[in-house]
Amino acid sequence: MSRHDRDGGVADAAEVAALFARSFTATFGHLYPPEDLAGFLAGCDGAAFAGELADADHGFRLAFEGDALIGFVKLGPTALPIDRAGRRAIELRQLYVDEAAKGLGVAAGLMEWALAEAARRGMEDIYLTVWIDNHRARRFYERYGFVEVGRYAFVVGGTIDDDRIMRLRLA
């Protein structure tokens, strides 16, 4: 099989939504009552991703092994409760990799694209959130120089997760 990456388009929406649902459930599904998880994932369906994939303010990079989607990263306008101090900023909204592809460098390739794309767009900072107990992801982001700058309440149904806001200065 051949590994390759490409920009995402509207035609990829259903496949991106399916990978998101699988990966989110594998990583976080144990945290939520089944009805809350189902309700959350219903709001992250192909139609929701299609809207973002069609929006020029968002950027998607998809990773494939052959024809199979094994990861994606999404950039978008900042929506976090942060003080940007007048700096141009973008948010790394999602970075998900299929369970079978973890540890193969897929996330690193997607992160490199995200950082380069943010810089290409003239951004000075890139922000993201990460669940406080997702130690693997936190270590990954810290390797790139992200630092914790705040807290964020991530809501899934009746559950409020304790997330951390992280920032990387690009310029």
Side-chain angles (χ1 to χ4, degrees):
M1 289 275 178
S2 63
R3 166 99 166 72
H4 64 281
D5 295 354
R6 68 168 171 78
D7 291 342
V10 174
D12 300 306
E15 198 171 6
V16 170
L19 173 59
F20 172 75
R22 285 192 315 274
S23 185
F24 187 90
T25 300
T27 305
F28 305 111
H30 67 284
L31 298 173
Y32 312 112
E35 61 277 6
D36 287 353
L37 178 63
F40 174 77
L41 293 175
C44 302
D45 63 1
F49 277 105
E52 292 173 330
L53 283 156
D55 180 359
D57 288 338
H58 287 78
F60 280 79
R61 189 74 171 172
L62 312 181
F64 291 87
E65 181 68 39
D67 293 334
L69 179 66
I70 58 172
F72 76 93
V73 63
K74 175 176 73 174
L75 294 173
T78 57
L80 294 169
I82 54 172
D83 176 7
R84 296 186 337 205
R87 295 173 58 86
R88 291 182 44 83
I90 198 165
E91 190 176 319
L92 191 157
R93 296 258 180 107
Q94 294 172 327
L95 195 163
Y96 284 93
V97 175
D98 191 72
E99 289 300 301
K102 287 187 176 175
L104 301 177
V106 176
L110 293 170
M111 178 61 83
E112 293 296 331
W113 175 88
L115 298 178
E117 179 65 10
R120 186 190 71 74
R121 292 180 181 211
M123 298 299 155
E124 297 170 293
D125 298 326
I126 185 168
Y127 288 87
L128 59 82
T129 63
V130 61
W131 181 48
I132 193 168
D133 287 330
N134 190 343
H135 302 293
R136 180 179 185 161
R138 287 175 60 105
R139 284 190 306 271
F140 174 79
Y141 298 134
E142 289 166 353
R143 281 195 306 269
Y144 284 91
F146 282 87
V147 295
E148 184 178 320
V149 295
R151 297 176 70 163
Y152 180 70
F154 184 81
V155 179
V156 175
T159 304
I160 301 173
D161 291 334
D162 187 10
D163 281 17
R164 294 299 185 251
I165 300 171
M166 300 183 84
R167 178 190 66 216
L168 175 65
R169 296 270 192 214
L170 299 171

